[in-house]
Amino acid sequence: MPFDSRRLQGPEDSQSPLLFCAPAAPRALLDGRGKRADGRAPDELRASFARAGLLSQAKGSAYVEAKNTKVLCAVHGPREVLRREDFSMSGRLYCDFRVAPFAGARRCEARPPGGDEREAALAVVQALEAAVRLHRYPKAQIDVFVTVLEDDGGALGAAVTAASLALADAGIEMYDLAVGCSARQAGAVLLLDPSAAEEYGRYGEPARGPSVQAEQHGGLTVALLPSLDQVSGLVCQGEWDEQVLRQAVREAVDGAQRLYPLLQQCLLRAVRRSVRAPEAPPAGPPAGPPGDAGSDAGIPPGESEP
Amino acid sequence: MAALLMLSEAEKAFIVHGVQDGVRGDGRGCEDFRVVELETEVVSNTSGSARLRLGQTDVLVGVKAELGSPRLDCPDEGYLEFFVDCTTSSANATPEFEGRGGEDLSLEISSALQRSFAHAGCLDLRSLCILPRQQCWVLYVDVLLLEYGGNVFDAASIAVKAALFNTRIPTVHVSEDEEGVREIELSDDPYDCVRLEVARVPCIVTLSKIGQRHVVDASLEETCCCRASLMVSVTAAGAITGLRKAGPGSLHPDSVCHMIETGKRVGVSLHKALDAVLQHEESQGTKREKVGFLG
């Protein structure tokens, strides 16, 4: 690994102590009563929290939490594209996907985003492109910055959800929200919204044991536009039977549908907050469009304190 | 990548209406591939290589086996690395790939391959291990895109399977002297080599949604009319080892299910045809005249 002069120099190479643990005994994903390790039913989502408009500097922002998975997203723009070469009548979405070095069980290097992160960024862009009315922003670029603060499974799905909330919060025109949801299958078991321990091939999961290999394994993430009933993003890996995969897609779509009301409420709250924020709003249309929701506290520019 | 070719609205309407009636520009049905030309062992310095021409798309794959140290989390296995080059040498594929233009595409192809190969039983990686925790074989799979004529994902994955089938890894003998120091000795007999078992290696089938129907192996013109496509990785046995939606459009959940179904069906017959071709080429042995780039 070459020396990076832009960072403080640490040890050249270090390994997580978790690598030297004795491998955990293979554990069933479901216990005798059909419950998971955290007490959920197989088709139960994690308790989620979503909030839009928490950053003041970004045009739109959102924070999504599903138990231990925490994702933050900020939207800037639309701004003019400086490079003249690619003229297009429709706008462009740019996504920067970063996983914090402390997000996973093992530390990931803080360096310019590598293959995995860039691939996740592409997946987020593809999931959002169908939702955003890009033809309303000719020659413009909308920047979406996703930061995964903690990854306990389902980070890509949460990133899509957070990004579409942040876009809506920024007042970008959209057809619908894109809601992400993931599923995991092992043999006959299908788990919705898996945690990191349940997710395929993650550390701590005995994914390579002989008994586990005999079964079919796989993970899947779906991005859904709930009110249009359209799948805008779909990524899956592992080994699936065709029938099971179709079933899993339906389950994940159903999971995303169930998440939708939460996001609607969250946006509604963000708008209410931004409307209430300036004391005693003047008569007429109360405050600006939801696009101004980014400034949570304080007065919109141009209005002076009475 | 839709900007590679510009079509007018009328041309698009023509193609969409054609697909609607089950007719395509080059006379294929909705589940037909274009003619595939495949040749293995085209580059002599590699452990295995293949060149594939699918319509206008031209892909060259080289596999190099090198000795390396195993990954810490799977000490008793070798591993595969995929590198896809659409940037420098393939600027001749299309000028848009010059500089950083092809970077996104190369990343997408390599991660699609990585994802399809990630499942446990794909290749017997344990047979690539020489000394656990110390030495293993690393297979570097380099994909070179020579010409871009649509559907590069399928072309790349088929060529990768052919190149892996063609791969010959020299046999290794581990000897131990009195002090317990182990030494690795490579066999220098070119016929004393290990072949890879490729029966469970997947191929990608890309299904493009055009209008209300989906087609297999979209040409460049059809790619322009397609808003969303689904890449399905299928093994010869019909298991699905990866799925990815591409393109700016969206799909109805029902059509996703239909596309998975079609993908499996097409994938299984694709594998059957590919295996027959590879066996045929193999049976000809040294008598086969290598055409290479002179064809």
Side-chain angles (χ1 to χ4, degrees), chain A residues 71-257:
Chain A
V71 179
L72 185 64
C73 177
V75 166
H76 296 266
R79 62 176 178 83
E80 199 183 344
V81 181
L82 294 176
R83 286 184 309 146
R84 284 265 160 245
E85 66 216 52
D86 35 325
F87 171 84
S88 74
M89 280 311 287
S90 78
R92 260 165 35 96
L93 268 176
Y94 168 80
C95 175
D96 190 49
F97 189 98
R98 304 256 175 165
V99 180
F102 45 78
R106 283 195 243 168
R107 184 175 186 275
C108 50
E109 282 298 323
R111 64 173 93 131
D116 282 354
E117 285 177 323
R118 281 184 44 209
E119 203 220 332
L122 279 177
V124 172
V125 167
Q126 275 171 358
L128 293 173
E129 266 177 340
V132 181
R133 304 183 67 186
L134 282 169
H135 62 275
R136 301 282 290 172
Y137 302 93
K139 295 195 280 181
Q141 176 174 328
I142 300 164
D143 294 324
V144 178
F145 297 100
V146 178
T147 313
V148 177
L149 301 175
E150 197 174 334
D151 182 5
D152 188 22
L156 184 61
V160 171
T161 311
S164 63
L165 276 181
L167 284 167
D169 182 48
I172 305 288
E173 287 189 39
M174 293 165 85
Y175 293 110
D176 198 355
L177 287 176
V179 186
C181 185
S182 51
R184 194 246 142 121
Q185 162 261 358
V189 184
L190 188 71
L191 303 180
L192 210 55
D193 195 16
S195 66
E198 291 164 343
E199 210 169 295
Y200 175 66
R202 281 305 172 89
Y203 193 76
E205 178 68 25
R208 304 186 317 118
S211 63
V212 193
Q213 226 168 56
E215 294 177 345
Q216 295 197 314
H217 269 262
L220 156 98
T221 303
V222 163
L224 180 80
L225 315 178
S227 51
L228 303 174
D229 197 18
Q230 290 275 312
V231 175
S232 68
L234 180 61
V235 182
C236 114
Q237 66 275 320
E239 192 177 346
W240 298 78
D241 185 60
E242 178 222 337
Q243 303 257 332
V244 180
L245 180 57
R246 276 160 41 193
Q247 176 67 20
V249 170
R250 287 187 194 286
E251 293 260 340
V253 162
D254 186 50
Q257 286 281 13

Side-chain angles (χ1 to χ4, degrees), chain B:
Chain B
M1 289 282 107
L4 290 167
L5 189 72
M6 302 281 250
L7 284 190
S8 68
E9 289 305 316
E11 284 169 301
K12 285 183 189 171
F14 180 75
I15 292 174
V16 171
H17 287 154
V19 169
Q20 204 67 47
D21 298 336
V23 183
R24 296 166 74 176
D26 41 12
R28 286 181 288 159
C30 284
E31 290 183 15
D32 293 341
F33 270 87
R34 286 171 283 183
V35 175
V36 182
E37 288 170 46
L38 179 71
E39 189 176 13
T40 54
E41 222 171 324
V42 274
V43 187
S44 54
N45 275 336
T46 54
S47 317
S49 62
R51 185 202 172 205
L52 181 123
R53 216 178 145 74
L54 174 64
Q56 301 294 311
T57 303
D58 209 328
V59 178
L60 181 65
V61 175
V63 179
K64 263 214 186 275
E66 294 196 349
L67 288 167
S69 49
R71 292 197 165 135
L72 282 163
D73 38 2
C74 23
D76 55 350
E77 289 180 2
Y79 56 95
L80 263 81
E81 291 271 4
F82 291 98
F83 291 97
V84 181
D85 193 353
C86 302
T87 47
T88 47
S89 56
S90 332
N92 55 9
T94 149
E96 294 199 22
F97 289 157
E98 211 186 325
R100 303 174 72 88
E103 240 172 42
D104 274 357
L105 184 68
S106 2
L107 177 78
E108 270 188 82
I109 298 175
S110 59
S111 56
L113 290 172
Q114 205 100 51
R115 188 164 353 123
S116 330
F117 278 76
H119 69 108
C122 173
L123 278 173
D124 184 16
L125 294 174
R126 287 190 191 182
S127 68
L128 296 177
C129 181
I130 300 162
L131 290 171
R133 290 178 194 280
Q134 291 173 37
Q135 287 284 323
C136 71
W137 285 109
V138 184
L139 296 182
Y140 289 101
V141 183
D142 292 289
V143 180
L144 205 61
L145 187 61
L146 300 177
E147 202 174 336
Y148 184 92
N151 205 16
V152 274
F153 290 87
D154 299 17
S157 72
I158 301 169
V160 165
K161 183 175 176 182
L164 287 174
F165 177 81
N166 181 236
T167 298
R168 285 167 174 80
I169 303 169
T171 316
V172 164
H173 301 284
V174 181
S175 56
E176 197 167 341
D177 62 11
E178 307 85 68
E179 286 147 31
V181 180
R182 282 187 280 195
E183 237 172 47
I184 293 175
E185 213 175 301
L186 215 63
S187 161
D188 49 7
D189 178 7
Y191 290 99
D192 182 19
C193 55
V194 183
R195 301 284 301 269
L196 291 166
E197 176 60 59
V198 292
R200 298 189 67 188
V201 167
C203 280
I204 299 176
V205 177
T206 306
L207 300 140
S208 313
K209 189 93 187 173
I210 297 177
Q212 299 293 314
R213 289 182 78 153
H214 49 260
V215 299
V216 168
D217 184 29
S219 65
L220 215 47
E221 291 82 11
E222 286 164 337
T223 314
C224 295
C225 310
C226 158
R227 295 280 296 156
S229 57
L230 200 66
M231 290 182 251
V232 191
S233 317
V234 192
T235 64
I240 291 162
T241 62
L243 198 62
R244 167 81 194 251
K245 193 225 109 194
S250 58
L251 294 167
H252 192 269
D254 284 344
S255 70
V256 171
C257 291
H258 286 144
M259 285 159 102
I260 293 171
E261 228 179 276
T262 316
K264 179 187 166 181
R265 196 169 52 233
V266 174
V268 170
S269 57
L270 171 69
H271 273 288
K272 211 176 273 171
L274 177 61
D275 289 342
V277 169
L278 290 174
Q279 291 300 343
H280 176 68
E281 229 181 19
E282 177 86 357
S283 64
Q284 284 184 319
T286 47
K287 281 184 295 190
R288 178 168 67 95
E289 210 174 317
K290 283 180 198 161
V291 182
F293 292 92
L294 305 171

Side-chain angles (χ1 to χ4, degrees), chain A residues 35-49:
Chain A
K35 295 274 182 195
R36 304 200 228 169
D38 50 2
R40 284 186 287 157
D43 62 344
E44 197 176 331
L45 298 173
R46 286 178 283 190
S48 296
F49 172 82

